[in-house]
Amino acid sequence: MATKDEVEEERPPLETDGVPVIDLDQSPEVFIPQIASACATYGFFQVINHGIDACLVDAFRRQMQLFFALPYETKIKCKRREDNSRGYFDDELTKQRRDWKEALDVGVPDSRDWSLDDDGERNACLDGINQFVPVDVLPDFRPTIVSYFNACTILSDHLARYMQQGLEHTLDAIKTKSGGDDIDVSLKKSHTSYLRMNYYPPCPPNHDDAVKEEKEGMVPLGISPHTDAGFLTVLVQDDETHSLQVKLKGGEWVTVEPIPGALTINTGDMAMIWSNGLFKAPLHRVLTSPHQTRYSAPFFYNPGYDASISPFVSPTKDIPTFVPKYHSCVWGYFRAVRFAGDLTDLGVEIQISNFLIESSEDDKSGGTNHHIAKQAKFMKQVEFHEPFSVKNYRSLLES
């Protein structure tokens, strides 16, 4: 009779329209290679038996819905600004195209202490400070959000470790280029993650924006095609309305239909740099619906602001011909410029292609050398314990 581990090894991951579904209740020897394979091929996968209690997920969803049901006058008091990326907004740009959604961003406080006042001096960081509605408006909102945030952090810590182990296995256990902390240890110690709550209202076919985009040959979108900037994303989807699509290698857009109780995971730009392109940051988008509302909440697991992300491996006796594909990218710089592009019409849309060592882009068009030089200037000016200000850094962004 086969042992439990032997049975597990014979069981491949499930798939929903090409996106793997990985059971974390299996032996790590089984699911770690599955995660590495999913990161290297799709960049998307779903996890079941992930350890986040279903009751907490349900409570979180309920509080998210209650927030977006509040009067606009109440929500706008939490409005994010050019000097604070955290808070409520309904005017985000993705690839210089306005998204059809409302959202609220909440991030880890710089102090790592949720018991302190949100606007306290110790909690300010590059992303700003958290803005919650008053307790008398939604008494259970903040504690529920914090509990869910912490649960996502723990899961992300585990997933980063599995990704590290999976890549080590792929590359025959070669260690990091710097010789310092492994990426999973570094992320756990200094991550700068944030949780985004999204509300997508129905987009009527006769709405001005929908009509305009259809005339221009574009599909009205909740979020335009993009890759996630950070290391990995943990997403709770809407079980009723399925609008998230990922672009596969063949160019086909495939809807990611969530399995009840599962969470959707995707790799981000920083994981792609760190893996030297072995792990893929997938292009994805969110469709609008003319009749249905949709809620979702991605948890963006991001490196420390001062973390310099470089390709994972270096030349060794085992791989003497290893060639890094990317320059080092400082997360704080990448995050600040991406936020400026989301918030303003500066035309800034930084991508990891700007950090390719062999890039066809020239300096004037925002090529590699252009961003490497701006990153160096940014690092001389920035104070990561102070909120980033588009106004204060405008001259650098426009240069």
Side-chain angles (χ1 to χ4, degrees), residues 213-244:
E213 294 201 345
E214 286 183 0
K215 286 182 178 179
E216 295 174 354
M218 298 187 294
V219 179
L221 295 173
I223 305 179
S224 296
H226 66 287
T227 58
D228 288 349
F231 191 81
L232 67 87
T233 303
V234 176
L235 173 69
V236 58
Q237 291 203 67
D238 193 313
D239 289 336
E240 303 300 324
T241 306
H242 306 156
S243 301
L244 173 66

Coordinates of all heavy atoms in Angstrom, one line a residue, residues 213-244:
E213 N -15.0 54.9 -24.2 CA -14.0 53.9 -24.3 C -14.4 52.9 -25.4 O -13.5 52.4 -26.2 CB -13.8 53.2 -23.0 CG -13.1 54.1 -22.0 CD -12.4 53.3 -20.9 OE1 -12.7 52.1 -20.7 OE2 -11.6 54.0 -20.2
E214 N -15.7 52.6 -25.5 CA -16.1 51.7 -26.6 C -15.9 52.3 -28.0 O -15.5 51.7 -28.9 CB -17.6 51.3 -26.4 CG -17.8 50.3 -25.3 CD -19.3 49.9 -25.2 OE1 -20.1 50.4 -26.0 OE2 -19.6 49.1 -24.3
K215 N -16.1 53.7 -28.1 CA -15.8 54.4 -29.4 C -14.3 54.3 -29.7 O -14.0 54.3 -30.9 CB -16.3 55.8 -29.3 CG -17.8 56.0 -29.3 CD -18.2 57.4 -29.2 CE -19.7 57.6 -29.4 NZ -20.1 59.0 -29.3
E216 N -13.5 54.3 -28.7 CA -12.1 54.2 -28.9 C -11.5 52.8 -29.0 O -10.3 52.6 -29.1 CB -11.3 54.9 -27.7 CG -11.6 56.4 -27.6 CD -11.1 57.1 -26.4 OE1 -10.5 56.3 -25.6 OE2 -11.1 58.3 -26.3
G217 N -12.5 51.9 -29.0 CA -12.1 50.5 -29.2 C -11.6 49.8 -28.0 O -10.9 48.8 -28.1
M218 N -11.9 50.4 -26.8 CA -11.4 49.8 -25.5 C -12.6 49.2 -24.7 O -13.7 49.7 -24.8 CB -10.7 50.9 -24.7 CG -9.4 51.4 -25.4 SD -8.5 52.5 -24.3 CE -9.6 53.9 -24.1
V219 N -12.3 48.2 -23.9 CA -13.2 47.6 -23.1 C -13.2 48.4 -21.7 O -12.2 48.6 -21.2 CB -12.9 46.2 -22.8 CG1 -13.9 45.6 -21.8 CG2 -12.9 45.4 -24.1
P220 N -14.4 48.9 -21.3 CA -14.4 49.6 -20.0 C -13.9 48.7 -18.9 O -14.3 47.5 -18.8 CB -15.9 49.9 -19.7 CG -16.5 49.9 -21.1 CD -15.7 48.9 -21.9
L221 N -12.9 49.1 -18.1 CA -12.2 48.3 -17.1 C -12.3 48.8 -15.7 O -12.3 50.0 -15.5 CB -10.8 48.1 -17.5 CG -10.5 47.3 -18.8 CD1 -9.0 47.4 -19.2 CD2 -11.0 45.9 -18.8
G222 N -12.4 47.9 -14.8 CA -12.3 48.2 -13.4 C -10.9 48.7 -13.0 O -10.7 49.6 -12.3
I223 N -9.9 47.9 -13.5 CA -8.5 48.2 -13.5 C -7.9 47.8 -14.8 O -8.1 46.7 -15.3 CB -7.8 47.5 -12.3 CG1 -8.5 47.7 -11.0 CG2 -6.3 47.9 -12.2 CD1 -7.8 47.0 -9.8
S224 N -7.1 48.7 -15.4 CA -6.4 48.4 -16.6 C -5.3 47.4 -16.5 O -4.9 47.1 -15.3 CB -5.8 49.7 -17.2 OG -6.9 50.7 -17.5
P225 N -4.9 46.8 -17.6 CA -3.8 45.7 -17.5 C -2.6 46.3 -16.7 O -2.1 47.4 -17.0 CB -3.5 45.4 -18.9 CG -4.8 45.7 -19.6 CD -5.4 46.9 -18.9
H226 N -2.0 45.5 -15.8 CA -0.9 45.9 -15.0 C -0.3 44.7 -14.4 O -0.9 43.6 -14.3 CB -1.3 46.9 -13.9 CG -2.2 46.3 -12.9 ND1 -3.5 46.0 -13.1 CD2 -1.9 45.9 -11.6 CE1 -4.0 45.4 -12.0 NE2 -3.1 45.4 -11.1
T227 N 0.9 44.9 -13.9 CA 1.5 43.9 -13.0 C 1.6 44.5 -11.6 O 1.6 45.7 -11.4 CB 3.0 43.5 -13.4 OG1 3.8 44.7 -13.5 CG2 3.0 42.9 -14.8
D228 N 1.6 43.7 -10.6 CA 1.7 44.2 -9.2 C 3.2 44.5 -8.9 O 4.1 43.7 -9.3 CB 1.2 43.2 -8.2 CG -0.3 43.1 -8.2 OD1 -1.0 43.9 -8.9 OD2 -0.9 42.1 -7.6
A229 N 3.4 45.6 -8.2 CA 4.8 46.1 -8.0 C 5.6 45.3 -7.0 O 6.8 45.2 -7.1 CB 4.8 47.6 -7.6
G230 N 5.0 44.8 -6.0 CA 5.7 44.2 -4.8 C 6.2 42.8 -5.1 O 6.5 42.4 -6.2
F231 N 6.3 42.0 -4.0 CA 6.9 40.7 -4.0 C 5.8 39.7 -4.3 O 6.0 38.8 -5.2 CB 7.6 40.4 -2.7 CG 8.5 39.1 -2.9 CD1 9.7 39.2 -3.4 CD2 8.0 37.9 -2.4 CE1 10.5 38.0 -3.5 CE2 8.7 36.7 -2.5 CZ 10.0 36.8 -3.1
L232 N 4.7 39.7 -3.6 CA 3.6 38.8 -3.9 C 2.3 39.4 -3.4 O 2.3 40.4 -2.6 CB 3.8 37.4 -3.2 CG 3.8 37.3 -1.7 CD1 2.4 37.1 -1.1 CD2 4.7 36.1 -1.3
T233 N 1.2 39.0 -3.9 CA -0.1 39.5 -3.5 C -1.0 38.4 -3.1 O -1.0 37.3 -3.7 CB -0.8 40.2 -4.8 OG1 0.1 41.2 -5.2 CG2 -2.1 40.8 -4.4
V234 N -1.7 38.6 -2.0 CA -2.7 37.7 -1.5 C -4.1 38.3 -1.7 O -4.4 39.4 -1.1 CB -2.5 37.3 0.0 CG1 -3.7 36.5 0.5 CG2 -1.2 36.7 0.3
L235 N -4.9 37.7 -2.5 CA -6.2 38.3 -2.9 C -7.4 37.5 -2.5 O -7.5 36.3 -2.7 CB -6.2 38.5 -4.4 CG -7.5 39.0 -5.1 CD1 -7.8 40.4 -4.7 CD2 -7.5 38.7 -6.6
V236 N -8.3 38.2 -1.8 CA -9.6 37.6 -1.6 C -10.6 38.1 -2.6 O -10.7 39.4 -2.7 CB -10.1 37.8 -0.1 CG1 -10.2 39.3 0.2 CG2 -11.5 37.1 0.1
Q237 N -11.1 37.2 -3.4 CA -12.0 37.6 -4.5 C -13.5 37.6 -4.1 O -13.8 37.1 -3.0 CB -11.8 36.7 -5.7 CG -10.5 36.8 -6.4 CD -10.6 36.3 -7.8 OE1 -11.2 36.9 -8.7 NE2 -9.9 35.2 -8.1
D238 N -14.3 38.1 -4.9 CA -15.8 38.1 -4.8 C -16.2 36.7 -5.3 O -16.0 36.4 -6.4 CB -16.4 39.2 -5.5 CG -17.9 39.4 -5.2 OD1 -18.6 38.5 -5.1 OD2 -18.3 40.6 -5.0
D239 N -16.9 36.0 -4.4 CA -17.4 34.7 -4.9 C -18.5 34.7 -5.9 O -18.7 33.7 -6.6 CB -17.9 33.9 -3.6 CG -16.8 33.4 -2.7 OD1 -15.6 33.3 -3.2 OD2 -17.0 33.2 -1.5
E240 N -19.2 35.8 -6.0 CA -20.3 35.9 -6.9 C -20.0 36.5 -8.3 O -20.6 36.1 -9.3 CB -21.4 36.8 -6.2 CG -21.9 36.3 -4.8 CD -22.4 34.9 -4.9 OE1 -23.1 34.6 -5.9 OE2 -22.2 34.1 -3.9
T241 N -19.1 37.5 -8.3 CA -18.8 38.2 -9.5 C -17.4 38.0 -9.9 O -16.5 38.4 -9.1 CB -19.1 39.7 -9.4 OG1 -20.4 39.9 -9.0 CG2 -18.9 40.4 -10.8
H242 N -17.1 37.3 -11.0 CA -15.7 36.9 -11.4 C -15.3 37.8 -12.5 O -15.7 37.7 -13.7 CB -15.7 35.5 -11.8 CG -16.3 34.5 -10.8 ND1 -16.8 33.3 -11.1 CD2 -16.4 34.6 -9.4 CE1 -17.2 32.7 -10.0 NE2 -17.0 33.5 -9.0
S243 N -14.4 38.8 -12.2 CA -14.0 39.8 -13.2 C -12.5 39.9 -13.3 O -12.0 40.6 -14.2 CB -14.5 41.2 -12.8 OG -15.9 41.1 -12.7
L244 N -11.7 39.2 -12.5 CA -10.2 39.2 -12.6 C -9.8 38.3 -13.7 O -10.2 37.2 -13.8 CB -9.6 38.7 -11.3 CG -8.1 38.5 -11.3 CD1 -7.4 39.9 -11.4 CD2 -7.6 37.8 -10.0

